Amino acid sequence: MKLYLSPRAPNPRRVTMFIAEKNLTGIEEVVVDLGTNEHKGDAYLARNPFAGVPALELDDGRVLSESRAICTYLEGLQPEPNLMGTTSDERAFIEMADRRMELSLFGSIANCIRHTHPGLAALEQPQFHDFGHAQGKKMLVVARWLDQHLAQTPFVAAGRFTIADITAFCALEFARGLMKFHPAEMGLTHLQAYRDRIAERPGA
């Protein structure tokens, strides 16, 4: 299999962290240069018509091109260590938590960065600065909720490390790098401790 990615992009990091946590080997990494718009070239669009990274090309030539879908495939390929739930009940609650992290935390961070950071101007045309700043404020609402949630439990879902933690951690790292977001500076001590603890995992 081949995993098409851009090392600095947050969604590929979600998948590579999932792969590391699974101890999966034998997946070839192919770097796609977003800076030169390689992801918009005919060769890459033939694999993913939506031009996003990552994309996983299977041995039979089929391509999966959404992070959650890629992880679902890999979970089926190697069920242990389990990251997505072992029962229908657990799977549902983990997926709920993961979707919250993806849509409300990760999504707000991505929109803020894409529409306010000058380094992303070439990739996001047009940029809507007011929208981006509004998304940054929405992210803080979610971060405050997550801080309180993590005061009660060490992980985002199921009382153990799951895909929801991968999504949350990669979102926080994206914000740390390009939004200069440090939870402790805003009094979010539980969120900061969580980020620091997850960062110590080999997969991170």
Side-chain angles (χ1 to χ4, degrees), residues 15-179:
V15 175
T16 56
M17 188 171 174
F18 191 91
I19 289 171
E21 290 286 344
K22 284 284 187 183
N23 297 311
L24 282 164
T25 59
I27 301 175
E28 178 186 351
E29 293 186 357
V30 181
V31 174
V32 178
D33 190 346
L34 303 185
T36 61
N37 284 326
E38 184 180 355
H39 59 303
K40 295 182 180 179
D42 291 341
Y44 190 74
L45 289 175
R47 295 184 176 90
N48 180 8
F50 289 88
V53 287
L56 181 68
E57 185 174 326
L58 308 183
D59 292 335
D60 62 9
R62 291 179 298 159
V63 178
L64 285 166
S65 60
E66 297 295 333
S67 299
R68 191 57 155 76
I70 292 170
C71 291
T72 296
Y73 178 82
L74 296 175
E75 178 91 341
L77 196 66
Q78 183 162 305
E80 298 296 334
N82 178 272
L83 297 176
M84 301 179 85
T86 58
T87 66
S88 59
D89 184 83
E90 191 181 45
R91 283 194 296 271
F93 279 92
I94 291 172
E95 182 174 350
M96 176 184 72
D98 188 39
R99 293 290 283 171
R100 284 176 172 174
M101 294 301 97
E102 181 176 42
L103 297 176
S104 298
L105 183 67
F106 197 103
S108 294
I109 290 168
N111 282 330
C112 177
I113 292 171
R114 290 177 73 93
H115 288 278
T116 63
H117 198 286
L120 275 291
L123 293 175
E124 190 66 43
Q125 284 296 326
Q127 281 186 319
F128 296 100
H129 290 271
D130 289 345
F131 171 71
H133 288 298
Q135 289 289 295
K137 292 178 181 178
K138 287 186 176 182
M139 180 275 286
L140 291 177
V141 173
V142 181
R144 292 188 185 102
W145 171 84
L146 185 56
D147 179 71
Q148 292 304 305
H149 176 69
L150 292 168
Q152 308 299 322
T153 179
F155 300 104
V156 175
R160 62 182 177 87
F161 185 85
T162 68
I163 189 172
D165 295 294
I166 292 176
T167 302
F169 175 75
C170 290
L172 292 171
E173 289 298 274
F174 194 31
R176 188 170 72 96
L178 294 182
M179 292 176 67

